[in-house]
Amino acid sequence: MSTNRQEIIKLIEDYLSNPINSPENIENRSFNELIQEFSNIYTELDYQNQELRITQEALENSHKRLLEVFHNAPVGFALVDNDFRLGIVNAKLKELLRNHKACKEGSDLRLMIHPQDQTRFHFFFKQLNELENRSEEPFRLIGSDDQVLWFKITGKKFSTETGLRQNLLVFEDFTEAVAAKTALEENRRMLDVITQNTHDIIALTGADTRFKWVSPSIRLLGYEPHELIEKSVFNLVAEPFLEIVSEAVNKAMITKTSGKLEYQCRKKDGSYEWVETIGNFIFGKEGEISELVFVTRIITDRKTNEEALKRSAELLEASNTTKDMLFSIIAHDLRSPFMSLLGLSEIIADRSYELNIDQLREMGQSMNDTAKMSFDLLEDLLDWSRVQRGIITPKKEPIDVEIMLNGLKELTSDSLKKKRLSLEINCSGELKFYSDRHILQSILRNLISNAIKFSERDSSIGIEVTANQNNVLFVVADHGIGIPIEMMPKLFVIDDTKRRKGTDGERSTGLGLVVANDLINLLNGKLWAQPNGEKGTRFYCEIPAFFDQ
């Protein structure tokens, strides 16, 4: 017979308190049955009490662990009521806020919110009350040292057992992340300023040397930055330098050392610029080369200046050599004739009464020849000096070729007669044009004098003149001793090694041909020499001709 547990307990209590007046149904049950049932109920109650104690202990332990997690969490926790009053605040939040005096139970949370974020925080809190949870949102809080700290705040609304509405706020400090981001943005801004205003071309490539980023200064080569992305740096290298640059880059990548190289770079329009490139590396976590950085500077002007300086140094060296040679010529070739003149004149002055007319005539002739030679040398020196100083300015004037050549023949007639030489002029028809007559006469006089000096006696010298619509060509040919092949490259430069005597022992400085070459350059002409058959030399003098003034 089963009876509700509460009813049995009630019946037993009534029976024990008043057995006589107990309900009738108790009499129908044995006392032992009631005691047994009561014992079962008591055992069940005791078991339930043990379970309750275990559950309570578990709850207390869980609560302790929860508090430990709450206070030792890596983020800040705070319970806040609807009036912004702080309840429980964990230790991490106090630490993050540098133990701000307002970071305690009962304080107004808004005291630690940055003034510029107050309005937004009120809106955040309002939405939290309406939606019962809010995703993370960044806010600025003020630490105890008035330092501005950045936090991501997440909110969730809940009710306590007593029905009290509370807000659990989670504070995640990302001040360092904001500082790093700010620094990164500032670095990017500075990089943009630098790359926008520098003339150096900065490029970033992968380990495969393909462009990943190029600064705007690449426009100096005619390219837009996006045009080079994914293209190889070697695409910009001029063909003659491709092998050198490729070997240098490969060697640098093997040795992992930076380097500098000068080469020519191809512009978009196909022209070239001299550049200087410095290469460096960015390494990965395993020490491998992940990216390459190239800084390139255009140095065409510098290379041009270097070449100009090199040429100037060469010209200066040549000028010094020329100066030394001139001093040698002046010291030797002028001193010797004057010594001869002094000696002969001294004999005539001191012993003229001992000399007969033939001896005096011979000495006079020798003095005359020496004086003429010295005068010719002085004329050459004067012409060369005027050319070097740039004080000769060519002018256009009418030239009758036949009249000019006959005048030169008359001027050199004494020298021609002395060696019994004939001067034959071959000019096709009447030829007249415009050029600088004085310069042209000086050139031809030097060529004729040179031919006389190195011609054998009783031979001939020829002058041929031809013309086309642009140029006039004079050819002075002799049948003398000729010019050795090794001396040809030195004909028109001052060089002591080409000094040699004429066929009658005439002194030669070689200065006449140097002057002739410098003078013809003033007329934009050309002067060159070739052997004249088996014997002799042909000198060619070609100048631009103007047939109309």
Side-chain angles (χ1 to χ4, degrees), residues 214-434:
V214 188
S215 66
S217 48
I218 192 66
R219 295 188 181 101
L220 292 172
L221 296 177
Y223 301 96
E224 289 297 323
H226 68 272
E227 295 177 329
L228 299 180
I229 303 303
E230 291 301 324
K231 292 184 178 179
S232 173
V233 295
F234 300 116
N235 289 353
L236 303 186
V237 179
E239 183 66 29
F241 296 88
L242 189 56
E243 184 176 352
I244 297 173
V245 175
S246 178
E247 288 180 357
V249 172
N250 290 335
K251 182 179 178 180
M253 293 184 71
I254 292 172
T255 59
K256 296 183 178 180
T257 55
S258 60
K260 181 169 64 174
L261 190 65
E262 292 182 2
Y263 58 96
Q264 281 191 322
C265 188
R266 184 171 59 250
K267 298 177 68 175
K268 188 175 181 178
D269 62 6
S271 61
Y272 295 91
E273 293 274 14
W274 273 100
V275 298
E276 177 185 77
T277 296
I278 299 175
N280 222 320
F281 304 104
I282 298 176
F283 297 97
K285 294 181 179 179
E286 303 298 326
E288 78 283 4
I289 295 175
S290 60
E291 292 171 316
L292 289 81
V293 179
F294 295 100
V295 179
T296 300
R297 176 171 295 178
I298 296 175
I299 59 169
T300 301
D301 290 343
R302 190 181 83 189
K303 295 292 285 188
T304 301
N305 292 336
E306 287 175 355
E307 288 297 321
L309 285 173
K310 182 179 179 181
R311 286 194 298 271
S312 296
E314 292 172 351
L315 289 173
L316 180 60
E317 183 178 358
S319 176
N320 288 333
T321 302
T322 300
K323 178 189 67 176
D324 294 340
M325 289 297 302
L326 282 174
F327 284 143
S328 174
I329 290 171
I330 293 171
H332 182 271
D333 293 280
L334 282 180
R335 184 174 181 274
S336 295
F338 276 106
M339 290 296 294
S340 176
L341 284 173
L342 286 172
L344 290 173
S345 62
E346 184 178 353
I347 293 173
I348 293 174
D350 295 341
R351 299 172 52 195
S352 59
Y353 59 88
E354 300 179 2
L355 303 174
N356 59 38
I357 190 66
D358 291 332
Q359 289 174 323
L360 287 173
R361 184 182 295 110
E362 183 179 351
M363 287 184 181
Q365 183 63 49
S366 178
M367 290 174 67
N368 182 259
D369 292 342
T370 299
K372 283 183 178 179
M373 184 185 69
S374 299
F375 180 78
D376 289 343
L377 178 57
L378 287 172
E379 280 283 295
D380 287 341
L381 285 170
L382 180 61
D383 286 342
W384 182 85
S385 174
R386 292 170 65 202
V387 171
Q388 297 304 307
R389 288 183 292 158
I391 62 175
I392 299 179
T393 303
K395 57 183 179 180
K396 287 198 299 184
E397 51 189 330
I399 297 176
D400 187 310
V401 174
E402 185 176 1
I403 293 175
M404 180 184 67
L405 292 180
N406 285 330
L408 289 171
K409 183 176 181 179
E410 180 65 24
L411 185 65
T412 58
S413 60
D414 289 345
S415 299
L416 291 167
K417 289 178 182 178
K418 186 176 180 180
K419 299 181 76 168
R420 299 192 296 274
L421 299 172
S422 63
L423 178 60
E424 300 174 1
I425 298 173
N426 183 7
C427 181
S428 55
E430 184 178 330
L431 181 59
K432 297 179 180 180
F433 64 95
Y434 288 88

Side-chain angles (χ1 to χ4, degrees), residues 35-147:
I35 293 301
Q36 183 62 46
E37 192 166 351
F38 178 76
S39 177
N40 292 338
I41 292 171
Y42 180 82
T43 301
E44 184 180 348
L45 288 173
D46 185 55
Y47 178 76
Q48 290 178 353
N49 285 336
Q50 289 181 4
E51 286 185 338
L52 183 60
R53 284 193 299 272
I54 293 171
T55 301
Q56 186 174 0
E57 288 178 0
L59 286 174
E60 289 175 354
N61 291 333
S62 177
H63 181 67
K64 288 179 181 178
R65 287 196 298 272
L66 179 61
L67 286 177
E68 288 178 1
V69 171
F70 182 80
H71 286 293
N72 297 306
V75 295
F77 285 106
L79 293 178
V80 186
D81 63 20
N82 291 336
D83 294 326
F84 302 101
R85 295 292 173 182
L86 289 169
I88 301 175
V89 178
N90 76 338
K92 187 63 178 180
L93 183 57
K94 293 178 181 179
E95 176 190 337
L96 294 174
L97 290 172
R98 315 297 196 263
N99 293 315
H100 194 286
K101 62 182 180 180
C103 188
K104 62 181 179 179
E105 187 175 349
S107 294
D108 192 331
L109 174 60
R110 292 172 295 183
L111 295 175
M112 294 181 289
I113 301 296
H114 194 280
Q116 295 181 6
D117 288 353
Q118 288 284 348
T119 301
R120 195 161 54 84
F121 184 72
H122 276 268
F123 181 73
F124 170 85
F125 219 72
K126 179 182 178 183
Q127 284 196 318
L128 178 58
N129 282 312
E130 293 174 354
L131 303 176
E132 297 193 352
N133 61 73
R134 282 286 286 133
S135 58
E136 65 179 24
E137 190 169 335
F139 289 98
R140 285 170 290 179
L141 274 71
I142 307 298
S144 61
D145 50 3
D146 292 330
Q147 182 182 0

